[in-house]
Amino acid sequence: MKNFYQILYGVAGLLFLLVILGGSLTKPVFNNYSVRTLESAGVKKASMDSIDSRIDDMLFNVKKVQLQIEKIKNIFSSDQIDESKYQRTKSEVFVKNIYNPLNELIIVFYRIGFFFISIILLLTAVIIQLIYRSKDLRSRVEKLETAIAAK
């Protein structure tokens, strides 16, 4: 019984450390759980990347048209067009604005859940320790009473 509540104290302490360090050291653990949760809910990062690449393709086509318009405008001038403004860029609209915040929200929910689990394990360990100590004290008092009654 003594080993059991000591194990519960240890597990509660480890879970509490996992929650406290969840923003820095153990972020990959929570991120892994969060990604799995999102994928089981049907929100896949690959789908978000696919949508983002389609949006990037559309924006690139618009930029190509704008470049052609700029070339037509400057056909009679000697000004050079800065073509670096019209290069393909990766905007990641859906990933940055939907997927990542949703992922962070689920990470926060997991951390809160693990915090409550650690508190419950800690309180369970305290209750088991109190029960164990109470029984131990009772048995010692009974031994003392029998020793005194025998004299």
Side-chain angles (χ1 to χ4, degrees):
M1 185 88 119
K2 183 176 182 180
N3 291 334
F4 182 66
Y5 72 76
Q6 288 176 343
I7 290 171
L8 283 178
Y9 278 135
V11 170
L14 287 175
L15 278 177
F16 186 73
L17 280 175
L18 185 75
V19 168
I20 294 298
L21 301 175
S24 57
L25 292 177
T26 58
K27 185 164 180 112
V29 174
F30 285 110
N31 193 26
N32 190 18
Y33 284 137
S34 178
V35 167
R36 283 188 200 165
T37 302
L38 284 173
E39 290 203 2
S40 67
V43 180
K44 294 181 174 46
K45 183 152 173 50
S47 300
M48 293 290 183
D49 288 337
S50 173
I51 292 171
D52 280 339
S53 70
R54 288 183 194 159
I55 291 173
D56 291 341
D57 289 340
M58 289 181 355
L59 291 174
F60 181 64
N61 289 334
V62 168
K63 286 181 181 180
K64 285 192 321 191
V65 170
Q66 286 176 343
L67 177 63
Q68 294 302 323
I69 291 172
E70 285 294 320
K71 285 181 180 178
I72 291 172
K73 281 183 183 177
N74 292 335
I75 202 162
F76 296 113
S77 71
S78 62
D79 295 337
Q80 291 292 329
I81 298 172
D82 185 17
E83 292 188 19
S84 65
K85 291 191 277 183
Y86 301 104
Q87 296 294 324
R88 183 182 179 97
T89 58
K90 196 167 187 173
S91 61
E92 296 181 336
V93 174
F94 278 93
V95 170
K96 286 181 182 175
N97 295 320
I98 295 173
Y99 187 80
N100 288 344
L102 195 58
N103 190 18
E104 292 296 323
L105 180 68
I106 291 176
I107 287 172
V108 168
F109 283 143
Y110 271 120
R111 287 177 67 189
I112 290 171
F114 278 121
F115 175 74
F116 283 122
I117 289 171
S118 72
I119 296 297
I120 289 170
L121 286 176
L122 178 72
L123 294 177
T124 303
V126 167
I127 290 169
I128 291 173
Q129 182 181 7
L130 289 174
I131 291 170
Y132 173 74
R133 294 291 182 187
S134 172
K135 287 182 180 179
D136 186 46
L137 182 63
R138 249 189 237 137
S139 69
R140 285 190 287 161
V141 167
E142 286 175 3
K143 286 180 185 175
L144 224 101
E145 286 176 347
T146 56
I148 291 175
K151 288 186 180 182

